[in-house]
Amino acid sequence: MKINEEVKKALEEGRAVVALESTIISHGMPYPKNVETALAVEAAVRENGAVPATIGIIDGEIVVGMDHEEIEQFGKRKGVAKVSKRDFPIVVAKKMWGATTVSATMIVAKMAGIPVFVTGGIGGVHRGAEKTWDVSRDLRELGEVDVAVVCSGAKAILDIPKTLEYLETEGVTVLSNKAKTFANFYSVSSSDPVDYAFETPEEAASILYAKEKLGLKGGVLISNPIPEEDALPHEYIDSLVEQAVREAEEQGIKGKESTPFLLKRIVELTGGRSLESNIRLVINNAKLGAKISSCLAKQRKEGK
Ligand code: PSU
Ligand code: MN
């Protein structure tokens, strides 16, 4: 594993670092918007007092903290594998390029000692999972790996109530920024309650710190609703999601191809509007994640 100097130094000094994933770059958005977004997300992390560490696998080596050229490569290179936990051994042994999903990025963040990770939306229980059994590995990793994930809920293509049930089974604490309900990705808010609505980054960090001191295994999910001005109406997006899910089924798209197909199809069906919302929500999450990470670093130093 290669940790870049800036990230290594920040970790050694107990300063705030935020982990970022690369599947959203290679498989979640089209080029060049994906690269522009990844760089804007890193900038937002810095502006809010933390060091960004974009994570991926280059020629079989796990990289923590990519440079701009590496991010550019993840954005445009063909054949970058989508890496969930099960794919690590193959991608490392075969010296391949791999873009890490939420699950894989959590594992690497934990190895490197980074406590907070920012993404757009986590993977979850897919619609129709009672037939397909498609449940993202992300949910199991949240149950096992001690990293807090800041996101705008689960991706809109999923079954949100089932995803929350699964998180409860896994024992994952679910918090939401100034909201009593779970974030709804492109849309303002779902009607599904969370465990706690926090008001400030300090408050969120204090909950992470309490969990750390208790030695409880597993992640915390921090939901951050998309800003109202960037949101798409729920009914509008939901009917398009249903259409995309139907098309995927007709075309026999399943497994790890499912999420990239659906996200791409929804961008087409919304004429690019969903992509804009997706970009805005990730940048917004980066700001919050950096603030929470800074507060956590401060609380750890003070030891209270
Ligand atoms: N969030 C986004 N876009 C994405 C993803 C998250 O806004 O593309 C990625 C994450 O890497 C997540 C993955 O872990 O999609 C989920 O894939 P699957 O449903 O196959 O587990
Ligand atoms: Mn899946």
Side-chain angles (χ1 to χ4, degrees), residues 206-280:
S206 73
I207 295 171
L208 302 185
Y209 193 40
K211 178 179 158 291
E212 196 171 295
K213 284 188 287 190
L214 288 167
L216 282 175
K217 198 165 73 83
V220 171
L221 195 60
I222 299 176
S223 115
N224 190 29
I226 186 171
E228 216 159 319
E229 62 272 23
D230 302 323
L232 299 176
H234 180 67
E235 297 70 35
Y236 162 72
I237 203 76
D238 207 52
S239 64
L240 298 180
V241 168
E242 275 175 14
Q243 180 183 337
V245 169
R246 259 197 321 273
E247 290 176 5
E249 205 177 306
E250 283 159 15
Q251 294 174 38
I253 289 157
K254 54 187 183 215
K256 68 198 287 183
E257 308 306 327
S258 172
T259 294
F261 172 87
L262 293 171
L263 289 174
K264 182 162 174 277
R265 191 66 188 115
I266 291 160
V267 172
E268 289 165 4
L269 292 170
T270 58
R273 284 174 73 193
S274 69
L275 180 57
E276 287 311 314
S277 291
N278 201 348
I279 293 169
R280 304 304 282 269

Side-chain angles (χ1 to χ4, degrees), residues 151-154 160 176 181-185 187-190 223-226:
C151 62
S152 296
I160 307 302
S176 201
T181 57
F182 198 48
N184 206 6
F185 206 59
S187 312
V188 184
S189 216
S190 72
S223 115
N224 190 29
I226 186 171

Side-chain angles (χ1 to χ4, degrees), residues 82 124 126 134-137 255-256 258-259:
K82 177 178 161 187
H126 280 256
D134 192 349
V135 176
S136 176
R137 176 68 203 172
K256 68 198 287 183
S258 172
T259 294

Side-chain angles (χ1 to χ4, degrees), residues 33-84:
K33 288 265 185 190
N34 53 0
V35 173
E36 287 165 28
T37 304
L39 297 179
V41 164
E42 288 210 339
V45 168
R46 286 187 195 283
E47 279 158 26
N48 289 278
V51 174
T54 300
I55 291 171
I57 305 171
I58 298 178
D59 292 330
E61 184 179 43
I62 299 173
V63 174
V64 180
M66 289 184 202
D67 62 28
H68 290 190
E69 179 49 35
E70 288 165 341
I71 288 177
E72 174 79 19
Q73 286 298 321
F74 273 86
K76 66 180 180 200
R77 232 181 135 91
K78 299 273 168 278
V80 177
K82 177 178 161 187
V83 177
S84 181

Side-chain angles (χ1 to χ4, degrees), residues 21-25 27-29 82-84 99-105 117 119-124 126 134-138 151 153 155 157-158 185-186 255-260 263 278-279 281-282:
E21 59 148 312
S22 44
T23 289
I24 189 167
I25 306 175
H27 303 282
M29 290 181 188
K82 177 178 161 187
V83 177
S84 181
T100 50
T101 61
V102 169
S103 94
T105 308
F117 161 33
T119 186
I122 57 163
H126 280 256
D134 192 349
V135 176
S136 176
R137 176 68 203 172
D138 293 356
C151 62
K155 282 180 297 255
I157 55 170
L158 302 166
F185 206 59
Y186 307 121
K256 68 198 287 183
E257 308 306 327
S258 172
T259 294
L263 289 174
N278 201 348
I279 293 169
L281 68 84
V282 187

